[in-house]
């Protein structure tokens, strides 16, 4: 993972969350990536403020505040989603 520019950090963080097997807190993600927690928090904040840039993924938080990504609605038709195995 590269890092550096805001776009790269944003992309790297979403990529890391997409590859995580379970939801991760900011601290868990930062530790796994070897980044300061502020860097991960800034990237998540950017993803929340700019969902158009994060599309086709969106952040999803669980009851503990851990985060993962999910797909956004609207890119595929219900028939396409069903063909891909979505309920």
């Amino acid at each position: 993972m590269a890092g550096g520019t805001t776009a790269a950090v944003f992309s790297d963080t979403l990529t890391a969350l997409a590859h995580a097997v379970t939801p991760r807190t900011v601290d868990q993600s930062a530790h796994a990536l070897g980044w300061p927690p502020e860097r991960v928090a800034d990237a998540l904040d950017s993803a929340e403020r700019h969902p158009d840039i994060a599309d086709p993924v969106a952040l999803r938080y669980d009851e503990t505040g851990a985060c993962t990504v999910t797909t956004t609605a609207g890119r595929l038709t219900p028939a396409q989603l069903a063909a891909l195995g979505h309920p």
Side-chain angles (χ1 to χ4, degrees), residues 1 12-13 16-17 19-41 44 60-68:
M1 301 211 165
D12 286 352
T13 302
L17 287 171
H19 285 87
V21 176
T22 58
R24 303 288 174 169
T25 65
V26 168
D27 287 338
Q28 289 169 329
S29 293
H31 178 75
L33 297 170
W35 295 349
E38 297 79 18
R39 182 175 177 184
V40 174
L44 295 178
R60 181 176 63 201
Y61 292 90
D62 69 13
E63 64 281 349
T64 69
C67 184
T68 190

Side-chain angles (χ1 to χ4, degrees), residues 55-58 70-77 81:
D55 187 54
V57 298
T70 188
T71 56
T72 57
R75 277 206 169 206
L76 301 177
T77 68
L81 290 170

